[in-house]
Amino acid sequence: MKIDWDNLGFSYMKTPFRYVSRWKDGKWDEGALTEENTITLHEGSSALHYGQQCFEGLKAYRRKDGGINLFRTDQNSQRMNRSAERLMMPAIPQEKFIDAVKQVVLANEEFVPPYESGGTLYLRPLLIGVGEGIGVKPAPEYIFTVFCMPVGAYFKGGLTPTNFVVSDYDRAAPFGTGAVKVGGNYAASLQPGHEAHEKNFSDCIYLDPATHTKIEEVGSANFFGITKDGKFVTPYSPSILPSITKYSLLYLAKERLGLEAEESDVRLDELDKFAEAGACGTAAVISPIGGIQNKEDFHVFYSETEVGPVTQKLYKELTGIQFGDVEAPEGWIIKVS
C-alpha cells in the first residue's frame, strides 16, 4: 500500500492487525492479534439495541530517532473504565489495556507516519456489550478491541484558525453521560454538526444544557481560552468529557508557560475577555478558534487567519512532548520502540 504521508486525512484505513479480547463468565480471556477487521455480533447484543458501548482515542508518535512514543496511555485506560462503570460493563485492567495498545502499535509499526510528516497512528480501543439478550439490562458477554490507522489533522488546515457556530441542540443532559466517552453522545452530535458544516463552519459550539449561557464543548473537542490578562481558562461541568489533552494543557500552561490556569465557567456573554481561543482533544490536538457565530453576533478572538502567540506556544510544547522533542513530565510517555 502506497501512502501519501504528507496528505493524510482523518479517515478509516485498514491496517494489518488489531487486538481482540472477550469477557465471558466473569473474566477476560488472554486476547490476541487478528487480521480480521469485522466483528460478528448476536442480533440481541445490547450494544446494538441499548447503546451499551464505549470507546477511546489515542495516538502513537514517531520520534526523530525513528522510535515510537505513546502519550499518557494510563489516562485513556482510566477514562475507559469510568465509561465502562457508568454503563455497567466490566473494567479492563490497565496492564491489559496498555499491553493491547502496544501490541497493535508494534504489529502495525510500518503504518506509524514518519516524524517529518507530522502524522500519527490513531488508535481506537472499543468495548461493546454482546451476546443473547433483548431486555434492558447489561450484556452477558463483552468484546474489547483495539484497531489503528495513520491520520493527519482532524480539522482541515491543522493549526489554522477556523470558525464555529453556537448550536441550539444539547450535546448531553445534565448529569447524563456527557462526562463519559459513549457512542450515544456522538450520535446526538451528527445532525448539529452536519448543519454547521452546511453553513461553512468547522463545527458547533455546545452550551451547558441547563441554562444555555455557558460554553461546554466544541464539536467533539474541549474549549479553552486565553484571557487578555494571560490566564488559561477551560470550562468545567459534569456533562463535559474530561479531555486528556485539556488536562495536559492545563498543566503545561501553568508549569511550563507560567500562566494562571483554571477550570471555570465560560459565559457566552463574556467572550470579550479572551484574547485567544481554541478547541483541544486527541484528534484535534489544538485547533485555534478564529470566531464564534452566536445568532446574529459574530465574535472574533485573536484573528481569523493567524494563530495567537500563547496558542502557538502550547501547541509547540504539547506536540514536542508527544513526538519526543521536549522533555515530558514524569510518566507521560511510554516508549514502545
Side-chain angles (χ1 to χ4, degrees):
M1 182 189 301
K2 186 172 176 58
I3 299 174
D4 184 356
W5 298 114
D6 295 322
N7 292 290
L8 289 169
F10 198 92
S11 57
Y12 180 83
M13 181 188 300
K14 184 182 178 183
T15 49
F17 297 99
R18 66 273 310 128
Y19 173 96
V20 178
S21 182
R22 295 176 180 269
W23 186 94
K24 187 176 181 181
D25 299 327
K27 62 182 180 181
W28 288 104
D29 68 12
E30 204 168 302
L33 293 173
T34 176
E35 295 183 55
E36 179 56 59
N37 71 331
T38 61
I39 300 172
T40 300
L41 305 181
H42 189 281
E43 62 186 351
S45 293
S46 64
L48 300 176
H49 299 270
Y50 307 119
Q52 197 187 24
Q53 62 86 246
C54 65
F55 67 98
E56 274 297 318
L58 64 154
K59 292 176 176 178
Y61 306 81
R62 180 77 70 180
R63 298 193 306 272
K64 191 179 291 185
D65 66 7
I68 300 171
N69 283 351
L70 291 171
F71 179 74
R72 307 198 75 179
T73 316
D74 60 324
Q75 298 299 304
N76 291 99
S77 170
Q78 292 172 29
R79 189 170 65 180
M80 185 166 224
N81 282 338
R82 289 195 298 270
S83 299
E85 181 180 21
R86 179 65 175 81
L87 269 60
M88 297 190 69
M89 298 192 288
I92 301 161
Q94 185 167 296
E95 183 179 338
K96 182 181 183 70
F97 181 98
I98 294 176
D99 178 63
V101 169
K102 285 181 176 179
Q103 285 191 50
V104 172
V105 172
L106 289 172
N108 297 285
E109 186 170 357
E110 64 186 291
F111 288 88
V112 181
Y115 169 84
E116 58 274 9
S117 73
T120 55
L121 185 74
Y122 183 79
L123 294 123
R124 172 55 59 83
L126 173 68
L127 176 62
I128 57 175
V130 300
E132 186 176 319
I134 198 61
V136 184
K137 60 183 180 180
E141 301 174 21
Y142 296 87
I143 294 174
F144 168 55
T145 182
V146 181
F147 61 97
C148 70
M149 69 222 67
V151 299
Y154 183 76
F155 290 115
K156 193 174 180 180
L159 196 68
T160 303
T162 57
N163 299 327
F164 295 80
V165 61
V166 173
S167 178
D168 292 327
Y169 294 93
D170 288 332
R171 173 188 160 272
F175 305 101
T177 59
V180 292
K181 201 167 178 68
V182 297
N185 296 341
Y186 295 82
S189 76
L190 295 177
Q191 184 174 346
H194 174 73
E195 292 178 5
H197 296 151
E198 283 195 323
K199 297 174 183 176
N200 294 318
F201 292 99
S202 279
D203 214 324
C204 298
I205 298 285
Y206 292 106
L207 304 180
D208 71 293
T211 70
H212 286 190
T213 61
K214 295 172 285 188
I215 289 177
E216 287 210 338
E217 293 206 350
V218 185
S220 56
N222 280 191
F223 176 92
F224 73 86
I226 310 298
T227 64
K228 291 175 180 176
D229 59 357
K231 182 187 295 184
F232 179 97
V233 179
T234 185
Y236 175 78
S237 163
S239 56
I240 290 177
L241 181 72
S243 163
I244 294 160
T245 303
K246 180 184 86 168
Y247 284 110
S248 300
L249 290 175
L250 273 164
Y251 177 91
L252 296 174
K254 182 179 179 181
E255 301 298 331
R256 297 285 176 91
L257 272 62
L259 304 178
E260 190 176 340
E262 67 177 27
E263 291 179 281
S264 62
D265 289 342
V266 176
R267 297 186 59 84
L268 200 57
D269 60 4
E270 295 180 351
L271 296 183
D272 283 340
K273 71 181 184 181
F274 293 105
E276 303 175 35
C280 62
T282 297
V285 190
I286 291 177
S287 180
I289 298 175
I292 293 177
Q293 185 78 46
N294 178 30
K295 301 190 185 305
E296 302 305 315
D297 177 64
F298 182 68
H299 179 85
V300 176
F301 293 97
Y302 183 79
S303 167
E304 287 186 75
T305 57
E306 297 180 14
V307 183
V310 178
T311 300
Q312 287 189 50
K313 289 177 183 176
L314 285 168
Y315 180 83
K316 186 176 180 180
E317 191 73 16
L318 176 63
T319 57
I321 289 169
Q322 291 169 332
F323 284 96
D325 298 327
V326 174
E327 184 179 355
E330 186 175 354
W332 280 26
I333 295 294
I334 295 174
K335 291 187 176 182
V336 178
S337 69

